[in-house]
Amino acid sequence: MHTLSGERAVRFGSAVIAYEPAWRERRDVEITVHPDLRVTVLCPAGRSPVAVDAVVLRKAPWILRQQLRFQDLHPLPTEPRFVAGETFRYLGRQYRLKLDEGSEPRVVLSRPYLRVVVPDVRDHAEVGKMIDRWRRARAAAVFAEHVEAIVMRCPWLGPRPETLRVRTMACRWGSCSASGVITLNPALVSAHPSCIEYVVAHELCHRKVMKHDQRFYRLLGRVVPDWQTRRDRLNNLR
Ligand SMILES: [Zn+2]
């Protein structure tokens, strides 16, 4: 299957896998799935595109599995402009940005508005900074509540983590270090609480099992039985 710009694609069941081929002096076909879900394929010189298609098709289940894994914890890529009327999500609900001028800068959530009071409403950078600070503070509080609730409900997961870091990450909602430090993306506070609970549970389970293996998913299933539905809902946010 041909696509734009030298890309090729194969159909596997209902899925279409697009890939970028590059021919090199080499013996074997090498397929790489990147965190942004792109698939690149290094092909031996002289191997026909159709023959490469066949190799990609044979590896399709593995490619889709890798893509799903990367999709698992992806953030929102949209760039906000911080202008009046713009839509923001908080805990899965939509709010419209309302800008008011005032000498006491603050952010107030009052449905249907996310109201920001600033000395100069044309100062979008300042509005952005205020929303960012507000969201980070809300995120830290919301995430801590979820950790507390899960740890209380599932004591077999171990003690509550001593620190919970909130940090913007380029391509994931959360992470867990080898020493058990959990980091969560403040952008996650946009998502529905059930999705936040899924990500928090996912990272808490990593303190018991680091790898995404069967044991890990069994554990996650005990904490959040419908985690797949929640993951899909989270991915549909994008
Ligand atoms: Zn994970």
Side-chain angles (χ1 to χ4, degrees), residues 36-95:
D36 61 3
L37 310 186
R38 273 183 320 118
V39 180
T40 55
V41 179
L42 293 179
C43 321
R47 189 77 60 94
S48 78
V50 173
V52 175
D53 279 354
V55 177
V56 173
L57 190 60
R58 211 159 49 234
K59 296 286 278 185
W62 175 82
I63 293 169
L64 293 173
R65 225 164 35 236
Q66 292 300 109
Q67 287 182 328
L68 201 64
R69 216 166 265 181
F70 283 125
Q71 235 168 36
D72 205 358
L73 297 165
H74 258 275
L76 297 165
T78 46
E79 284 293 329
R81 290 176 306 134
F82 307 111
V83 293
E86 194 173 2
T87 301
F88 283 86
R89 271 177 184 278
Y90 177 70
L91 299 181
R93 306 184 86 171
Q94 289 203 341
Y95 295 83

Side-chain angles (χ1 to χ4, degrees), residues 73 202-203 206 212 216:
L73 297 165
H202 182 116
E203 300 310 337
H206 272 318
H212 289 138
F216 174 80

Side-chain angles (χ1 to χ4, degrees), residues 167-178:
R167 207 187 70 204
T168 304
M169 286 174 281
C171 53
R172 52 205 318 200
W173 290 117
S175 72
C176 180
S177 76

Side-chain angles (χ1 to χ4, degrees), residues 148-168:
E148 186 64 24
I150 294 169
V151 168
M152 294 299 282
R153 184 161 61 81
C154 310
W156 41 267
L157 267 180
R160 70 177 57 74
E162 277 171 30
T163 50
L164 190 63
R165 282 197 297 204
V166 177
R167 207 187 70 204
T168 304

Side-chain angles (χ1 to χ4, degrees), residues 118-155:
V118 273
D120 179 359
V121 294
R122 290 161 306 176
D123 189 350
H124 303 305
E126 182 59 25
V127 173
K129 249 187 257 168
M130 285 183 60
I131 293 178
D132 216 52
R133 263 201 305 272
W134 171 83
R135 190 162 60 168
R136 212 167 270 270
R138 288 307 312 150
V142 168
F143 299 162
E145 279 169 28
H146 279 287
V147 168
E148 186 64 24
I150 294 169
V151 168
M152 294 299 282
R153 184 161 61 81
C154 310

